[in-house]
Amino acid sequence: MTIILYLIKTILISGLLLGYYWLFLRNKSFHRYNRYFLLGIPVISLVFPVLHFGLPRLWNQQITTGPVHLLGVANGGLEEAVTIYAGRGFWKGVPWETGLLAIVSAVSLFLLVRLSRTLWNIRLLCRNNPCYSLQGARVYFIRQEGTPFSFFNHVFWNNEQDLESSEGRQILKHELLHVKQMHSLDILILEMIRICCWINPFIHLILVEIRAVHEFEADAHAASDRDLLDYAELLLENISGPKSQSLVHPFFQKQIKRRINMITIRSKKIRNSLTGRMMILPVITLLLALFAFKITRHPLHLLSVENHIRVVVDAGHGGTYPGITSNGIREKDLNLQIAKKIQQLAKDFQIDIIMTREDDDLPGRFNNLHDDLQYRASLAVKTNADLFVSIHSNSNDGEKPEAGFEIYVPEKTSPVYPGSVKLGSAITEYIGKDYAVAPELKQREKGILVLNQATVPAVMILCGNLEKKSDFDFIMDYKNQEKIARDILKGITLFSQQTTSHPYGSTGQVGSLNPLPPDKQDQTTDDIRKSRKNSDSASQTGPPFTKVEFEAEYPGGARAWSKYLQQNLKYPDEAAKNEIQGTVLVQFIVEKDGTVSNITIISGPDVLKAESIRIIRDSGKWKPAKQNRHIVRSYHRQPIHYVLEHQ
């Protein structure tokens, strides 16, 4: 829970409870009950948001109702990704939470200094004036405006007020009730809470109300054996409400009208009093339901019809195989951190996690890497798992550093290839909302043993390039590790719950960008040309091609296109301000006249979509694609990485 969300919840709870007080309790004669209720409001508002009670889940929850949009696997029709960075100035480099905390701390410090000064002034009054003990209190005779008033067991009496007179004894009886009931402790506690939570406006109102309740209770006690009108006249002697220390209880204060009204009101009907107080029960129940309960798994979930996914999570490397080392951070340690974060959060998604390793040692305690990898790949069979997810990190590997995540799938000959593409596509959909991720799934020419020997849908997730500063700073943040872990779990849930669709039509096979029947997916260009013989006229007016002999091209080629994007793309201010980054995959059609049309966003954060559409729309005319020597309409896709540089 973020501190901002916590503060919002405390303010809402305080407001609801104070609203109940205003409707049912304010200006009522049950002063002791009102006092404790007002004291309880800050406590309840601070405690309820951190309570978490499990409420049994009696129905299936869906992550989303949309289909999984399958990605291509490193084949044609995709322009080289372009990365745009948002530099952070000095103030942008400071998290807004830090700035807010600094402001809150400054005001809290001011309030603390003011409180300390008040306590010091009271201490000086006690030190510099004579006193004597009376009925458990120490009475100080002073000459100061605002007297008489009390603070804890100290009663400060004006030298000019006759203590033995009828009015004096009545006022003293009032102040001694404050002492006996420890009303000053209430004020001191609320002042301390206000110092820490001054941003909550209801705390200030509670302080005002509890002072009034204290006075109502003391007035009722002082006037119990005297004529009520005489006591009301005594209150009116100094109606202006002289100034006094903020912590004390001055006899003459403002709200005289409310005090006189309260002492002249005798008890109302007991039924009405009980009704008002009993209304707190549904209010507390409502607050618990809104802020303290969360949906958890049904206690008898094994008897329910819900399907629980079992996933092998492989923290790559380990033991004597540290993987990449960057800035003193070993890949094996980072992989394990992310894997454990997935394991920790999996219960919220009803996913059972089997870890290949939970410490630094190699799984199975093998002495060589090949046996270790085979053991990891075999765990899915041994544990009856449904999926396999391997966590790794990337490096430059002698190439130009490229920011962002990458997801690898098994070879196309693998029986689990279609399911792996679906799984990788689902995970990419969620990671892309939080950080840059390759818009196509990847394969390695040499293959990856844990993927190629997989018996269940399997992916390897490379969590950024550790030698790229933006990636390193992102993934080393524990909050971002939790985001990525949740994204992976959301993707797994989406994989298990949803059907598949493809942005190029439902006829395409998993992982393909060619809208042909499955039995023709592997046709060569010559085969395609033969199959479309005598259909040239159809190619002129038919649907856009996803694979052509000669791709559409920006004037000047790939280098000119990349230069155009780099010079004209602008990182949206709202995204930079809210620290939103990620990959946007744009799909568009290059028409036969070179214009672009049907610009759509396949995936990416919402706040980054408008700029991505603009840059394509303003790109001008292209050199159109050709198929069978004829100009044709063709699909094109452009991934754009939006990355915040940490300074």
Side-chain angles (χ1 to χ4, degrees):
M1 180 190 303
T2 64
I3 186 64
I4 300 302
L5 181 59
Y6 176 76
L7 287 175
I8 292 173
K9 288 183 177 182
T10 59
I11 292 173
L12 287 176
I13 294 173
S14 301
L16 287 172
L17 290 175
L18 194 59
Y20 159 79
Y21 168 84
W22 226 264
L23 290 174
F24 296 103
L25 305 179
R26 190 172 187 263
N27 293 336
K28 298 297 189 298
S29 58
F30 26 91
H31 310 306
R32 194 73 55 85
Y33 178 87
N34 286 359
R35 173 192 175 190
Y36 293 132
F37 179 81
L38 289 170
L39 286 174
I41 291 178
V43 176
I44 293 173
S45 66
L46 293 171
V47 172
F48 271 30
V50 298
L51 296 179
H52 293 289
F53 300 111
L55 185 65
R57 187 204 311 266
L58 301 178
W59 60 91
N60 290 326
Q61 283 190 321
Q62 302 289 326
I63 290 293
T64 179
T65 57
V68 178
H69 296 281
L70 299 181
L71 300 178
V73 183
N75 51 17
L78 184 73
E79 286 290 336
E80 182 179 352
V82 62
T83 302
I84 177 172
Y85 297 95
R88 304 184 187 185
F90 175 76
W91 291 111
K92 290 184 179 179
V94 178
W96 66 271
E97 295 96 337
T98 304
L100 179 61
L101 180 61
I103 295 174
V104 172
S105 300
V107 177
S108 296
L109 180 61
F110 168 77
L111 294 175
L112 179 61
V113 170
R114 191 178 69 171
L115 175 64
S116 301
R117 182 179 178 182
T118 299
L119 291 172
W120 179 254
N121 289 338
I122 293 174
R123 185 173 184 273
L124 290 179
L125 288 176
C126 296
R127 178 189 296 179
N128 300 329
N129 293 282
C131 71
Y132 74 92
S133 298
L134 178 66
Q135 300 183 34
R138 298 175 66 85
V139 181
Y140 294 84
F141 294 93
I142 63 175
R143 186 182 301 276
Q144 180 169 316
E145 186 181 11
T147 51
F149 58 82
S150 60
F151 179 71
F152 283 97
N153 66 332
H154 305 299
V155 176
F156 299 91
W157 196 265
N158 195 313
N159 285 329
E160 298 179 357
Q161 177 75 44
D162 185 3
L163 186 61
E164 299 300 327
S165 66
S166 174
E167 293 81 3
R169 288 195 298 271
Q170 207 165 16
I171 293 173
L172 181 62
K173 187 177 180 180
H174 174 103
E175 297 300 334
L176 290 177
L177 192 280
H178 286 312
V179 172
K180 181 179 179 181
Q181 294 297 326
M182 296 289 287
H183 287 166
S184 296
L185 181 61
D186 299 352
I187 302 300
L188 189 59
I189 290 173
L190 287 174
E191 286 286 354
M192 296 301 296
I193 293 176
R194 180 162 67 170
I195 288 172
C196 300
C197 307
W198 63 267
I199 200 169
N200 184 347
F202 300 109
I203 297 297
H204 307 279
L205 295 176
I206 291 170
L207 261 169
V208 172
E209 281 302 310
I210 204 165
R211 288 179 187 276
V213 170
H214 288 166
E215 297 306 319
F216 297 160
E217 186 177 8
D219 287 340
H221 176 71
S224 59
D225 56 353
R226 300 295 297 271
D227 183 85
L228 297 180
L229 295 179
D230 289 344
Y231 190 81
E233 185 179 350
L234 178 61
L235 291 176
L236 289 170
E237 288 181 3
N238 197 335
I239 194 171
S240 61
K243 297 180 181 179
S244 63
Q245 308 288 352
S246 62
L247 285 177
V248 300
H249 292 91
F251 182 78
F252 297 110
Q253 61 159 359
K254 296 180 181 178
Q255 301 198 47
I256 295 296
K257 182 178 180 180
R258 286 183 66 190
R259 291 176 63 182
I260 293 176
N261 183 58
M262 289 303 300
I263 63 174
T264 56
I265 294 177
R266 290 305 182 183
S267 59
K268 303 265 183 167
K269 293 181 179 180
I270 298 298
R271 181 181 302 175
N272 293 337
S273 300
L274 289 176
T275 301
R277 281 178 280 184
M278 291 300 291
M279 283 297 296
I280 190 58
L281 297 178
V283 173
I284 293 295
T285 302
L286 175 64
L287 292 177
L288 283 171
L290 290 176
F291 299 102
F293 280 100
K294 66 176 182 178
I295 303 298
T296 61
R297 290 163 58 173
H298 192 284
L300 300 178
H301 66 279
L302 294 178
L303 302 178
S304 69
V305 297
E306 292 182 350
N307 294 320
H308 287 260
I309 315 167
R310 293 173 65 82
V311 182
V312 174
V313 175
D314 172 36
H317 302 288
T320 57
Y321 301 95
I324 304 161
T325 300
S326 178
N327 296 323
I329 301 299
R330 298 179 299 184
E331 182 191 353
K332 65 175 183 177
D333 299 328
L334 180 60
N335 295 341
L336 187 59
Q337 284 180 14
I338 299 171
K340 284 188 172 180
K341 185 64 70 174
I342 295 173
Q343 182 187 37
Q344 174 187 339
L345 299 173
K347 60 181 181 295
D348 295 336
F349 296 82
Q350 297 192 76
I351 296 175
D352 298 326
I353 299 296
I354 298 99
M355 300 281 286
T356 59
R357 67 182 180 96
E358 297 194 58
D359 52 34
D360 187 41
D361 294 328
L362 289 176
R365 306 298 190 267
F366 291 102
N367 295 323
N368 66 81
L369 184 59
H370 186 269
D371 291 342
D372 166 69
L373 295 176
Q374 285 191 324
Y375 173 80
R376 297 181 197 229
S378 67
L379 271 180
V381 174
K382 294 177 180 178
T383 59
N384 195 29
D386 303 297
L387 303 172
F388 181 94
V389 176
S390 185
I391 304 298
H392 281 261
S393 300
N394 208 350
S395 66
N396 294 346
D397 197 23
E399 301 176 358
K400 181 181 178 181
E402 183 65 38
F405 285 48
E406 293 180 350
I407 298 181
Y408 283 78
V409 296
E411 297 174 341
K412 289 187 178 181
T413 55
S414 169
V416 299
Y417 170 78
S420 301
V421 172
K422 178 183 174 184
L423 175 62
S425 300
I427 294 175
T428 299
E429 183 171 331
Y430 284 101
I431 291 179
K433 296 177 181 179
D434 287 319
Y435 199 65
V437 60
E440 279 192 321
L441 304 175
K442 305 283 186 177
Q443 289 175 325
R444 283 184 180 167
E445 293 182 3
K446 296 181 180 180
I448 301 173
L449 191 149
V450 293
L451 297 184
N452 293 337
Q453 293 192 9
T455 57
V456 295
V459 296
M460 176 181 286
I461 304 172
L462 302 188
C463 300
N465 186 335
L466 295 187
E467 296 179 32
K468 184 70 175 176
K469 188 177 185 302
S470 56
D471 285 7
F472 182 86
D473 292 343
F474 177 83
I475 203 62
M476 289 305 298
D477 189 320
Y478 289 111
K479 292 182 180 179
N480 293 333
Q481 290 179 15
E482 181 172 331
K483 282 183 183 179
I484 295 303
R486 289 189 182 277
D487 290 340
I488 293 171
L489 291 165
K490 289 177 183 178
I492 291 171
T493 304
L494 179 62
F495 166 87
S496 68
Q497 292 179 343
Q498 306 303 317
T499 58
T500 63
S501 72
H502 200 281
Y504 297 93
S506 59
T507 58
Q509 191 179 11
V510 172
S512 173
L513 301 179
N514 192 352
L516 293 175
D519 60 341
K520 296 183 180 180
Q521 287 289 322
D522 296 325
Q523 287 182 315
T524 63
T525 303
D526 290 336
D527 295 328
I528 296 172
R529 185 180 296 111
K530 290 177 183 178
S531 68
R532 291 177 178 171
K533 189 176 181 180
N534 300 323
S535 61
D536 292 344
S537 59
S539 69
Q540 298 292 330
T541 58
F545 283 73
T546 58
K547 256 191 174 181
V548 292
E549 293 175 278
F550 300 98
E551 296 284 351
E553 185 180 57
Y554 184 77
R559 180 173 296 181
W561 175 239
S562 177
K563 182 178 179 181
Y564 164 76
L565 293 175
Q566 293 286 355
Q567 291 181 349
N568 294 280
L569 265 170
K570 298 178 181 179
Y571 208 110
D573 291 337
E574 182 182 355
K577 179 181 178 181
N578 295 317
E579 299 190 355
I580 297 174
Q581 51 193 352
T583 298
V584 176
L585 181 56
V586 190
Q587 174 185 294
F588 57 99
I589 296 174
V590 178
E591 299 289 351
K592 288 183 288 185
D593 62 357
T595 59
V596 295
S597 65
N598 294 82
I599 305 171
T600 57
I601 301 297
I602 294 177
S603 62
D606 290 341
V607 73
L608 302 174
K609 291 179 179 179
E611 174 61 15
S612 304
I613 291 175
R614 183 199 66 80
I615 198 68
I616 302 298
R617 185 187 63 236
D618 296 345
S619 63
K621 286 193 174 184
W622 288 54
K623 181 180 179 181
K626 285 187 177 182
Q627 179 70 19
N628 298 334
R629 299 184 303 277
H630 290 284
I631 294 175
V632 294
R633 304 170 72 213
S634 64
Y635 279 113
H636 229 62
R637 293 180 301 153
Q638 175 63 53
I640 304 174
H641 298 325
Y642 292 85
V643 179
L644 291 169
E645 285 191 309
H646 295 263
Q647 296 182 356

